[in-house]
Amino acid sequence: MYLDISKSHKLQRLQLSEKSGDLVIACAPHWHQPDPKLAPSARVAVACVEIPLALEPHDSKPAPPSVTLSARQARRIALGAQGFADPYPSGRRDRRHLARVLGRVKLLQIDSVTALLRAHYLPAFARIGPYPRALLDNLTQGRRRSLFEYWGHEASFIPLEHHPLFRWRMVEAQAGQGLYRELARFGQEQAALVADTLARVEAEGPLSASDFEEGRGSGGWWGWSARKQALELLFWQGLVTAASRRRSFERLYDLPERVLPPDILALPTPEPEEAQRRLLLLAAEALGVATEVDLRAYVRMDAERAKLRLAELLEAEALLPAQVKGWDQPAYLHPEALRPRRFTRAVLLSPFDSLVWERPRCERLFNFHYRLEFYTPEAKRRYGYYVMPFLLGDALVGRVALKSDHAGGRLQVTGAFAEPGQARPEIAEALNQALHQLAAWLDLPGVHIDRNGDLAALLPHKT
């Protein structure tokens, strides 16, 4: 077994108790960009060799005592970790404010649902209020970008400095591992098409799927064309990346060396185990206190790996064991997690906000049963198509179904529902203010409220 023990990291305290004769996987220390002179089929990401490693046995030190938390303490730790206790800006928001949000949440989920606004814009609004959306656009494309697209939680914008932590996933994808089953099978059966697609991007990129002569999908996986599937496979493998997006939000693909800064590509590539530990630590920082499932879901890691890496992090005391009253699973507490006591925010949360995207965690923290109804037939929806939880202080007190009506110049509230016991005038007043702030940020002059739900009955009908 091999553990990359960085001298600048708490993991230097890890001890190994493996028997002699284990193997160390020694990988190239840098993410080598493929030689452009090579044929697509010969592009290589990482070379590894096996070296015998003999380790001396040792006595394990006792585990640190478990921290016991109440449900309310856990909820407040989670809110603090997600940035909801940070100072609320009073002036114009700039790149520094966005950087602070990204430092908290670590990544922004991308999604195609547009009932209100593209998903990745909304988490920052919930934390710092009305900011120029062009600021985030500038972070995701162009020469001053500081984010790249990859599979984080789901498809995500991720800070560039974390690129090395995902390279093990790219290498696995090149071997056909860790992929959706249909995409892995496509890669095996259509290897020649995939290689030709990469050659076209090399010669002509950036390119979108619609730039290929075959055009759009014709009933394949997710309705994708063969070229779109090839591009998505290459994207997962790290052999192409997202250069930008068109106004339609269609992704443009190009070679990483033509998109990402050279200093990012030159960063050392950690061993897979070290990268996985660091990803779980990032998740722990973003969540504050969390179960194993919470942590691995945040960074899209399988259960077997996550359990091994979390055990190592506990042994290193990089994470602390915790028990949360009312939780039926053990928890992990980040040692530097904030424990704020006062929350004053009144904000609407995107369905793809990292505070609520893991539905069982949302229910444990807030006693808030939340499900997406995008793909539910309209007649079977309980609340609406696009429903945003309403955070008031440290509680989720209601949910609001919304859509942007740009033609009518208004924010349409198709339903507003309080949690049990929360249909009170003061909550409706806070919600009304939050709705108008959101409408103004979306450049919608008015707010129209349908009489659907107990909170809707307490809101002004049209403003």
Side-chain angles (χ1 to χ4, degrees), residues 286-325:
L287 295 173
V289 60
T291 66
E292 174 251 319
V293 174
D294 297 338
L295 292 168
R296 63 182 173 86
Y298 206 90
V299 291
R300 197 182 180 90
M301 193 177 298
D302 64 270
E304 182 178 0
R305 281 195 180 99
K307 288 175 181 177
L308 289 171
R309 302 292 86 82
L310 288 171
E312 294 160 0
L313 291 168
L314 283 179
E315 187 177 357
E317 297 181 23
L319 293 177
L320 301 176
Q323 295 290 332
V324 180
K325 293 179 180 178

Side-chain angles (χ1 to χ4, degrees), residues 94-103 106-108 134-149 156-164 242-243 259-261 263-264 267:
D94 57 28
R95 287 173 67 103
R96 293 171 300 173
H97 296 105
L98 280 181
R100 189 183 74 192
V101 172
L102 288 162
K106 313 304 180 188
L107 48 80
L108 301 171
L135 280 178
L136 185 52
D137 293 336
N138 293 336
L139 299 185
T140 63
Q141 57 191 350
R143 300 183 66 179
R144 296 189 65 194
R145 74 172 68 230
S146 62
L147 304 173
F148 74 105
E149 287 191 41
S156 304
F157 287 117
I158 304 168
L160 280 171
E161 60 266 28
H162 300 324
H163 184 274
V259 174
L260 304 179
D263 58 331
I264 295 299
L267 289 173

Side-chain angles (χ1 to χ4, degrees), residues 40-199:
S41 60
R43 296 168 68 87
V44 179
V46 174
C48 297
V49 294
E50 293 185 346
I51 305 171
L53 176 66
L55 301 174
E56 295 296 328
H58 77 286
D59 294 327
S60 297
K61 61 183 178 182
S66 180
V67 179
T68 300
L69 300 169
S70 69
R72 189 175 192 186
Q73 286 174 320
R75 181 169 66 252
R76 290 182 165 189
I77 288 171
L79 285 164
Q82 284 281 300
F84 288 99
D86 291 345
Y88 193 73
S90 57
R92 181 175 175 81
R93 282 70 169 171
D94 57 28
R95 287 173 67 103
R96 293 171 300 173
H97 296 105
L98 280 181
R100 189 183 74 192
V101 172
L102 288 162
R104 289 293 189 194
V105 301
K106 313 304 180 188
L107 48 80
L108 301 171
Q109 185 175 345
I110 303 168
D111 195 85
S112 60
V113 175
T114 58
L116 186 74
L117 185 68
R118 295 287 180 189
H120 60 282
Y121 292 109
L122 289 162
F125 174 78
R127 289 157 178 80
I128 62 173
Y131 70 96
R133 294 193 294 279
L135 280 178
L136 185 52
D137 293 336
N138 293 336
L139 299 185
T140 63
Q141 57 191 350
R143 300 183 66 179
R144 296 189 65 194
R145 74 172 68 230
S146 62
L147 304 173
F148 74 105
E149 287 191 41
Y150 196 60
W151 290 104
H153 171 65
E154 296 291 341
S156 304
F157 287 117
I158 304 168
L160 280 171
E161 60 266 28
H162 300 324
H163 184 274
L165 305 185
F166 294 89
R167 292 173 187 166
W168 64 274
R169 189 169 291 165
M170 299 173 186
V171 173
E172 283 195 348
Q174 293 173 35
Q177 301 170 5
L179 300 164
Y180 291 132
R181 186 179 305 166
E182 295 87 346
L183 197 58
R185 183 168 58 246
F186 174 86
Q188 293 175 344
E189 296 173 352
Q190 301 290 336
L193 178 68
V194 174
D196 179 71
T197 303
L198 180 55

Side-chain angles (χ1 to χ4, degrees), residues 377-441:
E378 185 174 1
K380 295 183 178 180
R381 290 176 193 149
R382 183 177 178 185
Y383 298 108
Y385 178 79
Y386 189 89
V387 179
M388 302 181 74
F390 181 45
L391 176 68
L392 182 61
D394 68 349
L396 293 179
V397 298
R399 62 194 83 204
V400 184
L402 294 171
K403 65 178 180 180
S404 296
D405 178 7
H406 289 282
R410 62 187 187 178
L411 179 64
Q412 183 79 31
V413 181
T414 60
F417 309 87
E419 289 300 282
Q422 301 290 350
R424 304 194 304 272
E426 60 269 26
I427 289 179
E429 181 180 354
L431 175 58
N432 190 47
Q433 293 176 3
L435 288 168
H436 280 82
Q437 185 187 49
L438 177 60
W441 183 59

Side-chain angles (χ1 to χ4, degrees), residues 274-293:
E274 171 65 7
Q276 292 152 17
R277 284 191 292 271
R278 287 164 61 183
L279 284 173
L280 289 169
L281 274 178
L282 288 174
E285 288 178 16
L287 295 173
V289 60
T291 66
E292 174 251 319
V293 174

